Amino acid sequence: MSSTYSRRDFLKTTSCTAIIAGSSCMAAKLGSLDNNIINGGVTKSVNTYCEMCSSRCQIECKVVDGKVSFIEGNKHSKGMSTSVCARGASGHSQLYDNQRLVKPMIRVGKRGEDKWMVVSYEKAYDFIAEKLKKITDEYGAKATLFSSKTGENFNHIATFANIFGSPNIFSHVSTCPITYDIAFEHTYGGKLKRDFSNAKYILNFGHNLFEGIAVSKTKKLAHAANSEKTKLVVLDPRFSVVASKADEWYPVKPGTDLAFVLSLIHVWLRDGKYDKEFVEKYTIGIEKLIESTKDTTPKWQEQITGIKAEVAERVANEIYKAAPNCIIDWGHKTTTGASEYQKTRAILVANVLMGNLEKAGGLFFGKKAKSVNKIANMDIAPVITNPDGHIKYIQEERIDHATQKGANVFVSRKMGVLMDIPDAILSQKPYPVKAWIMTRTNPLITVANSQKMKKAMEKLDLIVVNDVYMSETAMMADVVLPEATYLERDEGIADVSSMAPAYMMRNKVVDPINKTQTISEILRALAKRLDLDSNYKWQTVTNFRVQQAKGNSELLEKLAKDGYVSFGVPSLLYREKSYVDNFVKKYPSAASNLDSDGLFANMLKFKTPSGKIEIFSEEVEENFPGYGVPAKHDTDVAKGYPYIITSGKTALHTNGHTQNIPFLNMLMSDNPVWVNPLTAKKENIKNGDLIYLENNIGKEKATVFVTEAIRPDTLFVYMGFGRESEELKRANGKGTSQSKLLSLDKGPVCSTMITNIGVKITKA
Ligand code: SF4
């Protein structure tokens, strides 16, 4: 770091020194961790929840001599027990990392030059407030963008943006799960969950829960995969971990999964093998589906996916036999191409045809306190509120035109489209953008065409980055505000209801190193300086929690102690007799809500325009002709290039967030590109060779990893590598960034980032 002060100097002068120095003996202690615990060395144990990735699993942290020394699953949460993933277990490696940011800094050199002045938080806030006032006076509040990954930090920054007067709030969703968010809205009017534990058949489209981990879900899928009673069929261009646990794996051509799903639908409709009663009662649009899939035969799909027609015929019949205890899994963010929306809609509609809604081993709505109280006709679980609920989203035009007629009409004002930011900044259309305030986002690694994003950032007058590390985006900032990690902060209550209501709460495990501040403290300090603070109805996190819990001290005490609370409510599925009977047995007052079949099926409500499950959506058809019902779509993602580069998650890292964390970097520091032996032969390359991956967007260096676990026409890299920040001393310069090869074009209807793209290989 060529800076006025180096961070080593900052650390020397702070109370952090002792803790950082302690981290090496911490590492030494880790080897004998169990002894410490068994011998009673644990002085404190705190139940909270993890933020090493967005799955937010419940955890328990052991504190020895004032330092976090061991993290495991929170036993109070049945789904977790003591399990935790490698990243979750490495939270203290991030907490005590001596490369972590611990003091606010203001840029003193050119943007991106890495020259900084260390300042107090007060000085940093004064600087930001003054700049924001100036920009707002000249260009209006909407000239400032705000962004965060979803979670409580996002809620805080969105609240602030609305108080500030800017409609331009962005979550990470457009680069990740936006497709299923929108496809669910269009189909069921809300999101559903999967009951892996009771499924007899799971058809999985690259939903790699064994690497894109969410511990309790991963465990359920692992048990299902291991069970004789469940058949797991996986379609994925590579032999992923989930593929390795499957009964059958089909290396589908990237981007073509849609054709396979449409062929299943064709078979079911052709043979009349679907739940006609369910479809009749709850849905609209089946006749349009019959028309749109009349020639999407198994034979037709074979030409597109490379999967034999008889396999599609057989799988369709096997699923029908298992129905309704079956799941056709839409995944999270799987093989994302331009047909992503149609693929996800087709998958959701395939589930509809199997009538698996609110059935064991099928799909279900989350049972929040409000809904179970309504069914039971009594208060069986406390309902929480949002203390910021009075603050409404600004309805002015956004830079990405979200919700306005056009490409982003279905994108919510909460999500936004990150890929639209560079053009808006560079073109100053629909109006000038001058500032960007962000927490927990690193668009220079996680958003397509990072080259263009960087050029756009260079044009801004103010960039404020709140992060744990000096990320590539932080390097471009005017002000860097270190983030108090999740182990150093208290937060509000989060609803984690599944088949029964449940809450969790983030509890501070240790005091923040060097008094680093939370994003809520940062935003409140800015609100005070900008005379906006009176808009809030709470002052401290404790106050926020009390308002959320409506003063329910019993709930708060339990959450402070256990980190997670459920209420002994039996699991409920509205259309599953044994579940309904159990519920009524426990809460007899619920009997008045039973329908003539002795079920709660009449409690099903679909927040779609028709009030039904929409196999055909008139609203979608009006805005995107040809997309109203699942139908054929162009599935070519190679676009003339010889190979398709795909990407995915590793179990050892989270997107662009964890590559520099000592423990995780030790476990995995690079992401060589997977190349099939036939491809390697054709390109005359071998294991360990350096190559370039190249297309019309960019050119990126990669190291070759030859493996049969990938199709010959496909390449694969794990996400989040290819780091360029010299301050990430462990991760810098290692691996490949796929973002540099991705186009800013979006998938139609859902505006998703397209992560399967054509490339050629050249020798380095
Ligand atoms: S999956 Fe792992 S990293 Fe993610 S929240 Fe759970 S324990 Fe933490």
Side-chain angles (χ1 to χ4, degrees):
M1 180 192 241
S2 58
S3 60
T4 314
Y5 303 90
S6 75
R7 255 196 329 283
R8 186 183 292 273
D9 295 332
F10 317 154
L11 292 172
K12 270 188 198 157
T13 58
T14 68
S15 59
C16 175
T17 314
I19 298 167
I20 300 293
S23 69
S24 53
C25 58
M26 180 74 55
K29 266 185 192 169
L30 286 171
S32 56
L33 202 56
D34 283 345
N35 288 340
N36 273 328
I37 293 163
I38 292 160
N39 295 336
V42 176
T43 49
K44 190 168 85 163
S45 185
V46 179
N47 289 306
T48 181
Y49 65 94
C50 183
E51 196 177 70
M52 293 292 278
C53 84
S54 313
S55 298
R56 299 185 176 85
C57 304
Q58 297 85 40
I59 51 169
E60 180 179 350
C61 303
K62 316 275 189 199
V63 180
V64 180
D65 300 333
K67 292 167 195 156
V68 183
S69 65
F70 187 63
I71 298 171
E72 63 182 345
N74 179 344
K75 294 182 279 293
H76 299 283
S77 165
K78 220 170 92 192
M80 288 296 296
S81 185
T82 53
S83 312
V84 77
C85 83
R87 298 161 302 161
S90 301
H92 48 351
S93 183
Q94 171 182 262
L95 173 67
Y96 300 124
D97 184 3
N98 61 7
Q99 287 182 32
R100 200 192 131 179
L101 291 163
V102 290
K103 282 203 165 186
M105 301 188 295
I106 294 178
R107 172 169 70 83
V108 292
K110 289 190 196 133
R111 190 177 294 291
E113 205 183 9
D114 199 18
K115 284 192 177 160
W116 306 92
M117 176 172 62
V118 177
V119 295
S120 65
Y121 272 105
E122 297 303 305
K123 181 138 193 222
Y125 296 151
D126 289 343
F127 179 89
I128 298 166
E130 198 182 307
K131 282 261 188 188
L132 282 176
K133 274 184 199 159
K134 205 164 158 245
I135 290 167
T136 305
D137 285 348
E138 204 169 332
Y139 301 99
K142 61 189 177 188
T144 298
L145 314 182
F146 296 86
S147 68
S148 168
K149 219 167 154 33
T150 48
E152 187 162 310
N153 281 359
F154 174 82
N155 299 341
H156 285 308
I157 207 163
T159 298
F160 181 86
N162 284 306
I163 289 170
F164 182 77
S166 173
N168 292 309
I169 302 152
F170 296 83
S171 75
H172 76 293
V173 168
S174 57
T175 60
C176 202
I178 195 168
T179 310
Y180 78 74
D181 278 356
I182 291 179
F184 264 114
E185 281 298 322
H186 292 160
T187 312
Y188 293 92
K191 274 198 266 191
L192 294 172
K193 297 172 186 285
R194 295 157 278 223
D195 178 17
F196 291 128
S197 305
N198 296 300
K200 290 185 190 151
Y201 205 104
I202 301 170
L203 177 58
N204 176 306
F205 294 89
H207 186 201
N208 189 8
L209 263 173
F210 298 149
E211 290 188 279
I213 295 174
V215 171
S216 65
K217 280 188 216 154
T218 300
K219 283 167 77 171
K220 282 177 188 152
L221 184 63
H223 285 134
N226 210 23
S227 163
E228 292 286 304
K229 290 185 203 142
T230 311
K231 180 156 186 180
L232 174 63
V233 175
V234 172
L235 269 68
D236 194 321
R238 79 183 171 111
F239 192 61
S240 65
V241 182
V242 76
S244 74
K245 308 293 173 207
D247 295 280
E248 292 172 24
W249 165 60
Y250 296 100
V252 64
K253 187 170 183 177
T256 67
D257 317 56
L258 168 67
F260 188 80
V261 194
L262 290 178
S263 78
L264 300 183
I265 293 175
H266 170 90
V267 172
W268 293 328
L269 295 177
R270 180 195 69 195
D271 300 346
K273 287 181 169 173
Y274 64 97
D275 190 335
K276 297 189 192 78
E277 204 184 314
F278 181 85
V279 167
E280 173 74 20
K281 189 168 176 190
Y282 294 107
T283 76
I284 58 162
I286 185 72
E287 62 299 334
K288 302 255 192 218
L289 186 69
I290 292 170
E291 180 60 27
S292 73
T293 57
K294 66 175 189 298
D295 55 2
T296 61
T297 62
K299 204 85 204 131
W300 163 80
Q301 74 79 39
E302 183 175 330
Q303 323 291 317
I304 299 166
T305 64
I307 300 170
K308 293 233 168 301
E310 50 268 34
V311 172
E313 285 278 356
R314 177 173 53 76
V315 169
N317 279 303
E318 287 174 353
I319 294 176
Y320 179 68
K321 263 192 211 144
N325 315 115
C326 62
I327 295 168
I328 300 130
D329 189 347
W330 54 91
H332 191 72
K333 172 171 171 279
T334 53
T335 52
T336 313
S339 64
E340 182 78 357
Y341 173 80
Q342 282 294 35
K343 180 202 79 178
T344 310
R345 272 271 287 161
I347 290 174
L348 299 187
V349 166
N351 283 289
V352 174
L353 295 180
M354 293 300 100
N356 63 1
L357 181 62
E358 293 289 333
K359 286 285 194 183
L363 312 184
F364 62 96
F365 286 109
K367 305 295 182 300
K368 294 192 175 196
K370 208 169 165 185
S371 50
V372 293
N373 291 351
K374 191 175 165 200
I375 295 169
N377 286 315
M378 61 188 283
D379 287 345
I380 55 179
V383 175
I384 59 167
T385 67
N386 176 8
D388 291 330
H390 61 289
I391 296 162
K392 302 289 173 232
Y393 272 72
I394 303 273
Q395 292 305 310
E396 264 186 79
E397 181 183 38
R398 292 174 49 103
I399 56 161
D400 56 8
H401 309 286
T403 70
Q404 280 179 245
K405 210 151 180 65
N408 299 335
V409 62
F410 293 124
V411 176
S412 110
R413 289 181 160 263
K414 271 188 172 185
M415 295 174 189
V417 179
L418 285 165
M419 291 79 73
D420 285 353
I421 291 178
D423 277 335
I425 295 174
L426 292 168
S427 68
Q428 305 213 24
K429 284 183 184 150
Y431 45 77
V433 173
K434 295 289 164 182
W436 190 347
I437 298 180
M438 64 184 92
T439 177
R440 294 198 75 221
T441 33
N442 184 10
L444 290 182
I445 288 293
T446 56
V447 182
N449 200 340
S450 43
Q451 306 88 310
K452 194 166 186 182
M453 183 67 89
K454 196 167 180 182
K455 272 190 199 132
M457 283 179 175
E458 278 159 7
K459 300 280 179 212
L460 294 176
D461 292 346
L462 176 68
I463 302 175
V464 179
V465 172
N466 171 234
D467 206 330
V468 180
Y469 283 104
M470 198 68 182
S471 69
E472 290 69 14
T473 305
M475 292 285 261
M476 294 294 286
D478 295 273
V479 184
V480 175
L481 298 171
E483 180 188 344
T485 69
Y486 65 99
L487 297 172
E488 301 165 295
R489 56 181 203 251
D490 283 321
E491 284 185 1
I493 306 167
D495 195 322
V496 283
S497 302
S498 183
M499 283 191 209
Y503 298 120
M504 64 181 180
M505 191 164 80
R506 177 162 284 140
N507 295 308
K508 186 165 77 171
V509 184
V510 287
D511 286 332
I513 288 177
N514 206 39
K515 299 197 170 91
T516 49
Q517 300 203 344
T518 66
I519 190 67
S520 79
E521 288 168 326
I522 289 167
L523 295 168
R524 291 303 287 270
L526 289 175
K528 285 195 179 97
R529 280 161 176 79
L530 295 165
D531 293 327
L532 300 170
D533 204 50
S534 58
N535 290 288
Y536 290 93
K537 289 187 173 170
W538 54 278
Q539 287 309 318
T540 62
V541 181
T542 308
N543 200 223
F544 183 85
R545 288 168 162 183
V546 170
Q547 288 187 33
Q548 268 191 304
K550 300 183 193 168
N552 184 337
S553 55
E554 202 186 325
L555 174 67
L556 286 170
E557 276 166 28
K558 185 112 174 94
L559 283 166
K561 186 170 150 288
D562 296 343
Y564 173 88
V565 60
S566 55
F567 305 94
V569 179
S571 294
L572 181 58
L573 293 170
Y574 294 149
R575 299 177 60 238
E576 193 64 72
K577 189 84 171 76
S578 60
Y579 287 60
V580 170
D581 288 350
N582 250 347
F583 191 85
V584 175
K585 197 169 158 202
K586 184 150 185 187
Y587 311 109
S589 53
S592 64
N593 284 317
L594 289 171
D595 56 27
S596 54
D597 295 331
L599 301 172
F600 291 134
N602 51 3
M603 302 305 283
L604 279 173
K605 298 279 175 280
F606 306 104
K607 292 181 189 160
T608 54
S610 64
K612 298 254 189 175
I613 297 171
E614 299 200 342
I615 291 174
F616 172 73
S617 163
E618 210 170 301
E619 199 187 10
V620 175
E621 187 64 28
E622 253 174 50
N623 286 283
F624 296 91
Y627 287 85
V629 68
K632 288 180 192 170
H633 190 282
D634 176 16
T635 53
D636 173 35
V637 288
K639 302 287 178 221
Y641 285 96
Y643 306 107
I644 301 158
I645 176 94
T646 62
S647 62
K649 290 185 178 183
T650 155
L652 299 172
H653 285 290
T654 302
N655 306 337
H657 180 67
T658 58
Q659 282 71 16
N660 204 55
I661 294 175
F663 284 7
L664 299 174
N665 187 272
M666 266 191 284
L667 291 171
M668 182 180 182
S669 61
D670 199 356
N671 66 339
V673 58
W674 293 29
V675 180
N676 185 279
L678 293 174
T679 312
K681 195 168 170 205
K682 191 167 147 204
E683 297 289 338
N684 193 22
I685 53 179
K686 58 181 187 319
N687 245 341
D689 278 359
L690 276 182
I691 54 167
Y692 282 113
L693 305 172
E694 195 177 345
N695 63 13
N696 59 330
I697 306 294
K699 185 174 178 179
E700 180 69 347
K701 219 175 218 181
T703 309
V704 173
F705 168 54
V706 178
T707 170
E708 286 184 358
I710 188 89
R711 288 172 58 99
D713 59 0
T714 306
L715 308 168
F716 171 84
V717 285
Y718 284 112
M719 293 154 63
F721 292 83
R723 310 307 296 265
E724 289 183 343
S725 166
E726 288 179 6
E727 297 303 326
L728 303 174
K729 297 193 191 311
R730 300 177 199 98
N732 179 40
K734 291 181 191 155
T736 300
S737 168
Q738 195 214 14
S739 301
K740 292 211 185 106
L741 302 165
L742 301 181
S743 142
L744 289 165
D745 293 348
K746 298 162 292 181
V749 189
C750 56
S751 302
T752 188
M753 186 166 88
I754 293 174
T755 56
N756 289 338
I757 199 155
V759 286
K760 65 179 180 182
I761 292 175
T762 50
K763 278 199 167 184

